[in-house]
Amino acid sequence: MTDPQFLKDLAREAGRRRTFGIISHPDAGKTTLTEKLLLYGGAIQMAGTVKARKAARYATSDWMAMERERGISVTSSVMQFEYQDFAVNLLDTPGHQDFSEDTYRVLTAVDSAVMVIDSAKGVETQTRKLMDVCRLRDTPIITFINKMDREGREPLDLLSDIEESLGIECAAMTWPVGMGKGFKGTWNILKNQLHLFSATHGGKIQEGIVIKGLDDPRLDELLGTQADDLRRDMELVEGAGYPFDRERYLAGKQTPVFFGSAINNFGVQELLNAFVDLAPAPRPRTATTREVAPTEPEFSGVVFKIQANMDPAHRDRIAFLRICSGRFTRGMKLRHHRIGKDVTIANATIFMAQDRSNVDEAWPGDIIGLHNHGTIKIGDTFTEKEPLKFTGIPSFAPEHFRRVILKSPLKAKQLQKGLAQLAEEGAVQVFRPLMGNDYILGAVGVLQFDVIMARLKDEYGVDALYEPVQYTCARFVSCEDKRTLADFERAMHSSLAKDAEDNLAYLAPSQWRLEDTQEKWPDVRFNTTREHE
Ligand code: GDP
């Protein structure tokens, strides 16, 4: 029988975990907000690190510089910090030049997200893409409208932009008083409390300025004519807006909205307080056979990301595993189900804000890093005994393609190895057409190609070139009827390829051709995503 004290510890530890990611368009303020959140979590030394990482990110063309920063970039890909009674795991969602499938996959490992919007810009393209991914799993999202110290769009206008472009209800939790030079602070709608903006108090919520409702005459003393503006806004919000509804938030249908200025550390603490309070603790995860609750005593976890060559001297690879249930202890024996082997996990890494340190114990919602010599793949499940396979870690059909041409044929082996590892890491998708010997690379974002080329040279000593190819989209092909599939393969041979995991893909030269082929082969499925087997 399971020790009742252990079950109690497990419920407590899982219940106090908050695992999330930040989604935003570049320049909305994700890095700045991350730094401020870490300051509240007491991980002050991180602040500089996040900036250093960002600097590295801008230097993508100079991969060596990026590589030098890599130790840092990896530590900050998962940051754990304590806040109040909570253990918060912040998973970085790479969003700039390195925007890729990886970004999407990280979102499958979080329980909720914070969306940062630039008040002058509103919803932007990348936010929209990331939101689509969140929607696949109905991930609950809290919104932070940033840069209120700048002249931006009207708050009501921003809310309707979010509602219309992203198809999610907004529930204002705070409301700005003015903006830009006239920005006075925010009104906390639930607490009936004014939070005054000042450049000098460092953003801490000041005690003592509690206003008893909007009719309190002290509001006029503090805000002057802006008090009436606030009253009018609040009437509008009450009339036209959605009141906060936790169930709808948890179902991903409503987003509570906060206003602030990350760089001035204003509104960040309010956001963090609400976040730990409202955001869900680890939720049950779906496996092929059943749903697994985090409070189940048996350990289980799923690999959602692989990062290669983190330390150029060791050529190691780290598999990032999200704990889904039970407790991880160092030295534990786990079953790696895809290959049916038991492995002893002696040197797992947990990603703390300060540095990478060896874990003794980790709980549902935590991320641990497993050293990997090529046997672990994205989507792999580890448990103590039960043969489980978690689902929901997708691979996206790429939208951009290039053919790789080797400069020296002597490097064919290295090219093969490099591409295999980079594909496994999820940095790029590699297709081998059924006809010929080509390597076709497919990516979700076009900037991935430069990174891949630089890494091939740097990490594998391969000099190569790209050639344009006539593909516009790829679809993963499946069909229940084996004979139809065989007919399809014969007929379409010259347009078919295998990806790195041997999945059959149809590479279409145009959208029109794709539609035409789909019409001709109604029993064949053309999937834009596939789950890792
Ligand atoms: P990221 O690309 O989303 O990580 O954005 P950063 O955090 O790097 O911010 C982009 C730019 O916006 C930087 O120059 C920041 O200093 C600036 N920024 C971030 N937050 C604020 C803010 O609250 N107000 C103003 N005026 N600028 C901000």
Side-chain angles (χ1 to χ4, degrees):
M1 211 189 78
T2 314
D3 174 10
Q5 184 58 42
F6 168 64
L7 290 178
K8 247 170 115 179
D9 290 348
L10 177 60
R12 191 191 59 241
E13 291 296 336
R16 74 186 195 92
R17 291 300 188 279
R18 295 288 181 273
T19 301
F20 80 114
I22 299 182
I23 61 175
S24 65
H25 191 84
D27 280 339
K30 186 179 75 169
T31 312
T32 312
L33 180 66
T34 302
E35 282 186 12
K36 304 297 174 186
L37 291 173
L38 292 173
L39 285 171
Y40 286 109
I44 293 165
Q45 46 284 57
M46 260 321 276
T49 314
V50 179
K51 262 201 213 106
R53 158 144 212 251
K54 171 135 188 181
R57 234 196 260 151
Y58 275 127
T60 320
S61 55
D62 182 3
W63 183 257
M64 288 301 282
M66 203 163 169
E67 191 68 17
R68 254 181 268 121
E69 299 286 351
R70 213 112 198 264
I72 293 167
S73 82
V74 171
T75 21
S76 55
S77 61
V78 181
M79 295 159 269
Q80 188 183 65
F81 61 91
E82 297 271 331
Y83 182 71
Q84 296 173 354
D85 294 330
F86 298 91
V88 180
N89 293 305
L90 170 49
L91 275 54
D92 186 38
T93 43
H96 291 244
Q97 281 90 336
D98 42 356
F99 184 72
S100 67
E101 281 186 73
D102 225 28
T103 313
Y104 295 138
R105 277 193 221 107
V106 166
L107 290 174
T108 66
V110 302
D111 297 300
S112 72
V114 166
M115 171 165 75
V116 182
I117 302 262
D118 182 327
S119 69
K121 304 220 172 104
V123 175
E124 297 174 86
T125 47
Q126 210 136 293
T127 325
R128 208 170 281 133
K129 280 197 203 168
L130 292 164
M131 179 76 189
D132 285 343
V133 180
C134 289
R135 196 169 282 119
L136 294 173
R137 297 174 64 239
D138 296 324
T139 306
I141 293 171
I142 293 181
T143 300
F144 184 71
I145 299 189
N146 190 28
K147 307 196 186 179
M148 292 312 296
D149 59 316
R150 287 248 183 98
E151 294 298 330
R153 289 164 58 176
E154 285 301 323
L156 277 169
D157 181 31
L158 285 163
L159 297 197
S160 45
D161 183 21
I162 295 171
E163 294 193 339
E164 277 161 32
S165 334
L166 303 179
I168 189 167
E169 291 167 10
C170 290
M173 306 295 273
T174 64
W175 198 258
V177 181
M179 66 169 79
K181 288 205 176 69
F183 181 54
K184 289 283 170 59
T186 52
W187 177 255
N188 188 315
I189 295 176
L190 296 185
K191 292 192 181 142
N192 258 349
Q193 188 174 330
L194 187 69
H195 180 192
L196 278 177
F197 176 64
S198 109
T200 50
H201 66 72
K204 293 261 157 38
I205 293 178
Q206 294 148 301
E207 304 296 330
I209 318 179
V210 179
I211 309 278
K212 292 196 183 60
L214 285 163
D215 296 330
D216 192 324
R218 272 185 300 168
L219 203 60
D220 301 271
E221 281 164 36
L222 290 163
L223 299 179
T225 54
Q226 281 177 303
D228 278 340
D229 296 344
L230 173 65
R231 291 185 182 111
R232 207 178 37 241
D233 278 356
M234 291 322 302
E235 246 172 59
L236 278 173
V237 171
E238 232 167 72
Y242 293 92
F244 175 63
D245 177 334
R246 181 142 199 255
E247 291 309 311
R248 291 188 71 70
Y249 157 65
L250 290 176
K253 298 197 169 6
Q254 185 186 81
T255 178
V257 179
F258 294 80
F259 290 85
S261 166
I263 199 141
N264 290 297
N265 201 11
F266 186 85
V268 176
Q269 197 179 9
E270 254 166 333
L271 175 76
L272 184 56
N273 287 343
F275 170 77
V276 291
D277 191 29
L278 302 176
R283 303 205 278 184
R285 307 274 303 195
T286 310
T288 47
T289 41
R290 65 188 188 88
E291 210 165 63
V292 179
T295 47
E296 292 183 22
E298 186 181 329
F299 173 91
S300 69
V302 60
V303 173
F304 63 95
K305 169 181 166 135
I306 294 198
Q307 192 146 353
N309 302 335
M310 294 199 327
D311 176 353
H314 293 102
R315 301 233 149 225
D316 60 343
R317 272 174 276 176
I318 293 245
F320 289 74
L321 176 137
R322 143 116 198 186
I323 300 180
C324 301
S325 67
R327 173 180 57 179
F328 174 81
T329 50
R330 196 210 300 262
M332 184 174 209
K333 201 155 86 188
L334 292 178
R335 195 158 182 81
H336 184 184
H337 288 289
R338 189 177 46 78
I339 59 172
K341 260 197 179 157
D342 288 330
V343 281
T344 301
I345 312 291
N347 57 349
T349 303
I350 193 168
F351 299 95
M352 304 295 291
Q354 279 80 359
D355 58 60
R356 285 207 261 164
S357 45
N358 279 328
V359 202
D360 286 325
E361 245 182 18
W363 302 91
D366 287 344
I367 311 299
I368 56 177
L370 306 177
H371 291 274
N372 175 21
H373 303 290
T375 49
I376 305 179
K377 289 190 172 162
I378 289 168
D380 282 0
T381 300
F382 287 80
T383 70
E384 281 168 73
K385 269 202 293 292
E386 188 183 342
L388 285 176
K389 162 114 190 61
F390 287 105
T391 61
I393 303 208
S395 190
F396 289 81
E399 292 165 16
H400 305 278
F401 300 87
R402 297 282 188 277
R403 178 183 287 116
V404 183
I405 308 288
L406 257 186
K407 281 190 191 163
S408 153
L410 294 174
K411 296 279 184 173
K413 269 234 165 67
Q414 282 90 329
L415 177 70
Q416 191 179 1
K417 181 171 171 222
L419 288 178
Q421 292 195 356
L422 292 165
E424 178 194 313
E425 196 185 315
V428 73
Q429 291 189 35
V430 179
F431 295 97
R432 306 296 316 264
L434 299 187
M435 274 169 70
N437 271 320
D438 280 351
Y439 286 96
I440 305 290
L441 303 193
V444 174
V446 71
L447 290 155
Q448 278 170 259
F449 291 124
D450 292 344
V451 174
I452 293 301
M453 197 54 91
R455 290 186 61 184
L456 279 176
K457 187 166 168 50
D458 205 45
E459 293 164 25
Y460 302 93
V462 173
D463 256 324
L465 298 170
Y466 287 130
E467 254 187 10
V469 274
Q470 280 295 325
Y471 302 122
T472 55
C473 54
R475 291 291 181 271
F476 298 106
V477 177
S478 62
C479 181
E480 268 162 31
D481 180 34
K482 293 265 173 309
R483 278 194 36 202
T484 311
L485 188 62
D487 289 345
F488 177 77
E489 280 195 51
R490 249 191 315 278
M492 304 305 295
H493 196 70
S494 61
S495 301
L496 295 177
K498 290 279 180 81
D499 78 354
E501 286 172 32
D502 228 28
N503 297 292
L504 190 63
Y506 168 64
L507 303 178
S510 68
Q511 189 63 31
W512 175 83
R513 187 62 75 77
L514 171 66
E515 283 163 22
D516 187 53
T517 308
Q518 279 172 317
E519 251 171 53
K520 289 203 178 106
W521 299 89
D523 295 333
V524 174
R525 289 225 304 270
F526 296 83
N527 304 306
T528 50
T529 59
R530 72 184 164 73
E531 292 214 341
H532 284 271
E533 305 270 301

